[in-house]
Amino acid sequence: MSGDVADRAGAGFRRWYDAEPAVRWAAPGRVNLIGEHTDYNDGFVLPFALPLRTVVAAAPGPDGRWTVCSELADEPVEFDAAAADEPGRVDGWAAYVAGVVWALRAAGHHVPGARLAVASDVPVGSGLSSSAAIESAVLAALVDLGGLDLPTDRWPRLAQRAENDYVGAPTGIMDQSVVVRGREGHALFLDCRSEEVEQIPFDLDAAGLAVLVVDSRAPHRHADGEYAARRASCERAAATLGVTALRDVPAADLDAALARLDDDETRRRVRHVVTENQRVLDTVALLRAGRVRDAGPLLTASHASMRDDFEITVPEVDTAVEAALAAGAYGARMTGGGFGGCVLALVDADATDPVAEAVTAAYAERAFARPHTRTVLPAPGAHRLP
Ligand code: GLA
C-alpha cells in the first residue's frame, strides 16, 4: 500500500461511508527485544513498539450495529450486538473488531454503534502483532467515540480478552501491553503478573547501534497448535512443581526444580522459561547501565534456548540468526511466538546493509524465499491523530 497510513484510513472511510470520520486512532506493531513465551508464565518481557502502524478512522453509527471496512478486504463487514455477543460468530480479520466490541460489552460498557475503516502498515502474518495493533486501535476509537470511562492501563487486558475469548488464540498480555503503552526511544519492561511497567531508555542512535528486523518469510507451520501446546506444557509443569506459574521458579532453584520433573521435554520447556526470565532481568540491568552492546550475547542465548529447549524455531530463522552473527551482529534472535516470523539483530549503525546482505545471501544459498529487512527504532504506543 502506498501513501501515509493515516491518510489511507481517512480516504477509506470517506469512500465507503461517504462521510467524514470523527476520530482517528493509530496503534503500532511490535518486536520483542527479549523475553519469549514468558508472558503467559507470569514472567518478564521487554518489547518495543514499531514505527509501523495500524490506523482506524471511525464515526458513530446506528445503535447496536458496527460496520468495518479494511483496505485489505473487498467488502465491509457488518455485525450486530447478537453476533458480537457470541464469540467466534464473526470470523476472519473482522473477528478482531467484533472481539473488541464483545470484550467491552462483557466488561459492562455501553459500546457505541460505529462505522470504522482500517488501514495498516503492519504486515499481516509476520509476527509483528498486526492483531494487537488492530485490536488496540479499534478499542481506542470506540472508547473515544463512546466517551467510555476506561483508563488506558486497562486497555491491554480487554484487547487480550478479545483475542483469547472471541478470536480463540490463547496468547499472553505482552503484545497488547506494548502496543498500547510503548514509548518512543524506550523498551517496555513489563511484569506480566502485576502489569507494572517501567520505560527503559533504549537509545540506539546514541549508542551508534541499530536494530535490524528480518522477516524470515517462513510459512507458519502449525503455529497456533504448537503455541497452545507450549503453553499447556508450561502450565502442567507449574502444577507439578506446586507453583502458580513458572515465574515462581527462581533461576537459582532451577536445578532442583528440573530434578522434580520426570520427562526430558518438560525439563527443557521449563529451563527455557526460567532462564529467559533471568535474561530479561539481565538485559534490563545492562540497558539501565547504558551498556546496550553488551546485551547482544543475551539475545543470542535467548535464541539458542528457543531453538534447543523450547523448540519453536525453524530453519529460516536459525539461518538468519547465524548469518547475522557471522556478519558481525552483537546478538540476534527470533522475536515473537515462533515457527517463522521475524528475527532481530543488534548491529553497528553503519553495518545494517552488510548484515542484511549477508542474511539475504545465506537465504539464496539455501533456496529460501528472499527475506525482507528493515531497521527500526522504538516508537510510541497507541495515540489519537488530529
Ligand atoms: C505471541 C503472543 C504473546 C507471547 C509471544 C511469545 O506474540 O501473542 O502473548 O506469548 O507470542 O513470547
Side-chain angles (χ1 to χ4, degrees):
M1 299 288 165
S2 60
D4 179 73
V5 62
D7 293 343
R8 293 191 334 253
F13 191 95
R14 277 178 223 105
R15 190 166 57 245
W16 280 111
Y17 306 117
D18 198 18
E20 283 298 313
V23 298
R24 285 187 311 176
W25 276 84
R30 65 98 188 89
V31 286
N32 186 17
L33 188 57
I34 195 161
E36 225 62 83
H37 287 260
T38 46
D39 62 352
Y40 56 77
N41 287 300
D42 280 3
F44 305 108
V45 293
L46 190 62
F48 64 87
L50 292 176
L52 302 166
R53 303 177 303 169
T54 295
V55 174
V56 168
D63 207 33
R65 293 203 74 75
W66 295 271
T67 311
V68 54
C69 62
S70 158
E71 62 183 352
L72 296 179
D74 295 335
E75 292 291 327
V77 174
E78 217 181 313
F79 59 90
D80 60 11
D85 288 349
E86 197 184 310
R89 193 133 137 224
V90 178
D91 57 9
W93 64 274
Y96 296 99
V97 180
V100 168
V101 173
W102 172 81
L104 283 167
R105 285 169 63 85
H109 296 283
H110 175 79
V111 186
R115 296 192 176 104
L116 309 113
V118 184
S120 185
D121 284 339
V122 187
V124 173
S126 297
L128 299 178
S129 268
S130 59
S131 56
I134 185 173
E135 288 155 7
S136 304
V138 167
L139 180 70
L142 292 174
V143 167
D144 192 356
L145 284 181
L148 307 187
D149 178 20
L150 197 63
T152 48
D153 57 4
R154 290 185 45 211
W155 293 6
R157 278 285 171 213
L158 278 173
Q160 184 202 12
R161 284 202 70 195
E163 181 142 354
N164 288 175
D165 299 340
Y166 196 95
V167 178
T171 50
I173 190 66
M174 168 170 74
D175 302 341
Q176 294 83 359
S177 297
V178 64
V179 163
V180 171
R181 302 172 83 176
R183 187 183 292 174
E184 189 172 4
H186 293 75
L188 186 85
F189 175 35
L190 171 69
D191 177 332
C192 300
R193 173 170 280 166
S194 67
E195 284 181 59
E196 264 172 53
V197 301
E198 186 184 337
Q199 302 286 350
I200 306 291
F202 188 44
D203 190 344
L204 290 160
D205 279 345
L209 294 170
V211 168
L212 180 73
V213 172
V214 179
D215 182 345
S216 72
R217 300 193 63 208
H220 276 259
R221 300 178 181 95
H222 314 297
D224 296 349
E226 294 288 349
Y227 183 97
R230 294 303 180 283
R231 183 169 182 158
S233 155
C234 291
E235 287 168 358
R236 275 197 309 274
T240 307
L241 294 169
V243 292
T244 308
L246 291 181
R247 144 74 173 276
D248 298 307
V249 180
D253 296 350
L254 178 60
D255 287 344
L258 296 182
R260 292 176 55 204
L261 297 166
D262 53 19
D263 77 287
D264 184 55
E265 186 181 286
T266 309
R267 277 196 290 270
R268 285 184 289 116
R269 303 295 187 251
V270 170
R271 187 164 60 200
H272 167 71
V273 174
V274 174
T275 58
E276 184 77 350
N277 273 326
Q278 187 59 46
R279 281 187 288 271
V280 175
L281 300 176
D282 293 346
T283 303
V284 167
L286 287 171
L287 295 191
R288 279 197 193 115
R291 294 169 55 196
V292 184
R293 236 178 225 88
D294 294 343
L298 291 167
L299 305 184
T300 306
S302 166
H303 186 79
S305 179
M306 291 190 286
R307 183 190 59 214
D308 302 336
D309 280 351
F310 221 59
E311 295 180 285
I312 54 172
T313 70
V314 292
E316 288 87 342
V317 303
D318 292 336
T319 297
V321 166
E322 281 154 28
L325 292 171
Y330 294 103
R333 63 183 289 277
M334 184 185 74
T335 180
F339 307 98
C342 288
V343 161
L344 61 79
L346 184 66
V347 300
D348 277 325
D350 57 10
T352 55
D353 286 349
V355 173
E357 281 156 22
V359 173
T360 305
Y363 265 51
E365 227 168 80
R366 287 167 183 73
F368 295 153
R370 191 183 167 84
H372 294 153
T373 58
R374 52 165 69 84
T375 54
V376 297
L377 289 173
H383 52 281
R384 195 178 200 271
L385 298 169

